[in-house]
Amino acid sequence: MQFENSLLFAKQLDASDPLKKFRDEFIIPAVDGKEQIYFLGNSLGLQPKTAEPAIKEILQQWAGYGVEGFFKGTDPWLKYHDQLVKPLSAIVGALPQEVVVMNQLSVNLHLMLVSFYQPSGKRNKIICEAKAFPSDQNVLETQVKTHGLDPDKVIIEVSPRQGEHTIRKEDILQAIELNKDETALVLFSGINYYTGQLFDMAGITKEAQKAGARVGFDLAHAAGNVSLCLHDWNVDFACWCTYKYLNSGPGAVGGVFIHERHHADTTIPRFAGWWGYDAATRFKMEKGFKPDAGAQGWQLSTPSFLLYATHKAALGIAERAGWDRIQQKSRLLNDYLWFRLQEVNDRMKERSIEFITPQNADERGCQVSMLMLRRGRELFNALADAGIMVDWREPDVIRLAPVPLYNGFEEVWRFSDTLGRIIERVKNEK
Ligand SMILES: Cc1ncc(COP(=O)(O)O)c(C=O)c1O
């Protein structure tokens, strides 16, 4: 689409937005009654108005039935999980039996490494991105140590080249090729949390599996953000949190994908607990572990239905909006953001922003990370004062992510307009 540089044009885009009404389904943070421009969906998605009634429903079920709530009432807890898996599997491109909702992201990464990182002889290496989210680094380091191996020798990090911010695909593939006889696992994020770079998950998976390695992805910044085809890409496993683009609340329950070809493989180790036991015979309480079919067989504990509730509320909105339409709006909204940001930056005599997120639409999702070349922290503070909520990452990066379900084109226009003005103002201040 040919964008125009005017507030009127932004308003027209909003007027013709088929998802516009979904903003009303979220609680938008306000200061002194003034709604803020919330571009922090990459950090914590906003609260659906249906979250509170969904929690109350669980509480009422508990009040009315006690433990019988597992079987009775309008929404018996034993069936609750099925309602989450249907919309989620559409969002991550999986078969319903390949998805399980459980625990939180770091815990799930550990569980998946127990199953899919099985170093054997010299095939013990893990290839990952340099500067992955700290929790991922912690998971890898401690998993490797648990196997009695030295993280410095076993973990191979692929870095951006000198003077570059993002990792070239050819460098990832080359790292796999160079270590093809020694790699046990390739673990990447779908989208890097800092730069917003979207990795070619299909390409990485193909190359890694050709080399005989297993492949997993941390989709914290990708699930609910970009189009995913985990089943068709043949990914071995993936884990994500649901509090960012899936709007399910702080510390919300996590999600896991395990490809169906692994489900019946009894040689794959797993840490077990009774909630992963065969659902049909779980309550016979017999000795020995007999896993439930599918990804659900990786569960351990009784789920938190209070956490399920907010997740169900959020997924309900996504389902009603339609995943295809969410994707379409996301692309348009973010193309428009890029158009406006370029315009702001080009207008400056002295460039103030270096974009570290790839500009190519195939290599990014909603997030834009801006390396602020001068007085970044002041600019960030001034944005906050102007009612614009974005995110500051040391030493000098502002991250922001307008999201399709509750952000609009006029907000993008107002944000970029304010940013341009603030840059001019701060530049003239001594
Ligand atoms: C990429 C990535 N991995 C892992 C985590 C940790 O997730 P959790 O605290 O839910 O375990 C985060 C949290 O923001 C993240 O962004």
Side-chain angles (χ1 to χ4, degrees):
M1 178 184 288
Q2 193 70 31
F3 294 125
E4 285 171 31
N5 230 333
S6 70
L7 176 58
L8 180 68
F9 183 76
K11 287 182 184 231
Q12 284 166 350
L13 286 174
D14 276 331
S16 57
D17 169 14
L19 300 189
K20 191 171 186 264
K21 66 174 195 282
F22 286 95
R23 178 179 170 87
D24 274 350
E25 301 214 17
F26 291 88
I27 302 173
I28 313 292
V31 175
D32 297 331
K34 183 177 172 252
E35 275 188 357
Q36 306 290 287
I37 293 183
Y38 189 84
F39 283 171
L40 283 170
N42 58 308
S43 185
L44 180 66
L46 287 182
Q47 185 181 140
K49 288 179 182 164
T50 45
E52 195 178 321
I55 290 176
K56 279 192 178 147
E57 210 179 297
I58 300 285
L59 294 176
Q60 277 158 7
Q61 179 105 341
W62 179 22
Y65 301 104
V67 73
E68 292 292 311
F70 276 94
F71 315 102
K72 288 187 176 160
T74 43
D75 233 348
W77 298 330
L78 267 187
K79 298 276 173 215
Y80 213 95
H81 187 265
D82 300 347
Q83 301 177 61
L84 308 176
V85 159
K86 186 174 152 267
L88 251 188
S89 51
I91 290 172
V92 299
L95 305 175
Q97 64 270 27
E98 291 174 320
V99 171
V100 58
V101 179
M102 60 180 189
N103 313 313
Q104 272 83 17
L105 173 51
S106 305
V107 174
N108 287 333
L109 280 170
H110 271 299
L111 293 177
M112 290 302 103
L113 260 74
V114 165
S115 290
F116 296 106
Y117 175 57
Q118 286 300 312
S120 159
K122 69 175 187 167
R123 193 177 274 285
N124 61 14
K125 302 225 165 13
I126 299 176
I127 298 180
C128 62
E129 82 228 64
K131 295 193 180 159
F133 190 84
S135 202
D136 297 33
Q137 298 180 40
N138 304 150
V139 167
L140 293 182
E141 182 190 327
T142 52
Q143 283 280 336
V144 163
K145 283 184 177 162
T146 302
H147 286 281
L149 298 166
D150 178 355
D152 290 338
K153 297 205 177 106
V154 164
I155 299 174
I156 300 168
E157 294 184 344
V158 188
S159 301
R161 292 187 188 180
Q162 190 73 27
E164 297 183 5
H165 297 291
T166 51
I167 304 172
R168 294 197 192 188
K169 180 180 168 188
E170 64 259 37
D171 292 351
I172 301 172
L173 301 186
Q174 193 191 31
I176 296 171
E177 171 62 24
L178 285 174
N179 297 283
K180 63 174 186 253
D181 298 326
E182 301 187 348
T183 303
L185 176 70
V186 176
L187 182 78
F188 262 71
S189 60
I191 291 184
N192 180 274
Y193 81 101
Y194 193 76
T195 63
Q197 178 182 14
L198 167 63
F199 293 109
D200 171 9
M201 288 175 258
I204 293 172
T205 303
K206 195 161 160 225
E207 215 51 31
Q209 288 175 344
K210 211 164 78 190
R214 293 246 165 88
V215 191
F217 291 99
D218 172 345
L219 301 178
H221 293 261
N225 177 0
V226 291
S227 164
L228 299 166
C229 304
L230 298 177
H231 176 84
D232 289 348
W233 294 339
N234 209 35
V235 167
D236 290 287
F237 71 90
C239 306
W240 56 90
C241 57
T242 62
Y243 44 77
K244 297 178 186 294
Y245 298 98
L246 292 168
N247 306 312
S248 301
V253 63
V256 176
F257 163 89
I258 300 162
H259 200 283
E260 68 168 349
R261 70 182 186 286
H262 297 307
H263 293 178
D265 184 347
T266 51
T267 66
I268 292 180
R270 64 177 100 178
F271 282 174
W274 82 306
W275 212 260
Y277 195 92
D278 171 43
T281 52
R282 180 186 296 146
F283 292 99
K284 289 190 174 171
M285 310 302 225
E286 283 174 351
K287 194 173 164 57
F289 181 68
K290 186 176 156 202
D292 200 8
Q296 290 188 48
W298 267 262
Q299 294 173 102
L300 276 83
S301 292
T302 314
S304 164
F305 294 97
L306 293 167
L307 296 184
Y308 271 5
T310 51
H311 195 26
K312 187 179 117 180
L315 288 172
I317 300 177
E319 212 175 12
R320 274 182 279 114
W323 184 231
D324 287 345
R325 289 200 305 176
I326 293 173
Q327 294 278 280
Q328 276 162 22
K329 176 170 172 192
S330 179
R331 278 190 289 272
L332 191 62
L333 190 63
N334 285 278
D335 286 350
Y336 181 61
L337 172 69
W338 277 94
F339 164 78
R340 286 286 300 154
L341 286 174
Q342 298 285 11
E343 199 273 330
V344 167
N345 215 19
D346 293 349
R347 215 173 341 121
M348 306 292 151
K349 285 207 189 69
E350 258 183 329
R351 225 160 44 99
S352 289
I353 305 167
E354 184 178 343
F355 298 106
I356 61 173
T357 306
Q359 244 145 293
N360 179 351
D362 294 338
E363 290 179 76
R364 60 171 160 87
C366 295
Q367 181 183 324
V368 177
S369 301
M370 309 190 297
L371 179 70
M372 305 312 284
L373 300 174
R374 52 189 66 83
R375 303 174 82 165
R377 185 78 214 194
E378 285 167 68
L379 292 170
F380 170 78
N381 291 340
L383 283 170
D385 290 344
I388 295 170
M389 297 174 72
V390 291
D391 158 296
W392 176 255
R393 283 280 151 176
E394 295 295 345
D396 42 21
V397 166
I398 289 178
R399 300 184 307 169
L400 59 132
V403 299
L405 277 176
Y406 51 79
N407 289 128
F409 297 87
E410 183 174 337
E411 284 186 301
V412 168
W413 195 90
R414 290 198 184 282
F415 156 71
S416 45
D417 185 56
T418 309
L419 179 68
R421 285 169 206 267
I422 289 174
I423 291 174
E424 283 295 345
R425 198 185 73 213
V426 169
K427 196 175 72 187
N428 295 327
E429 283 168 9
K430 285 282 163 272

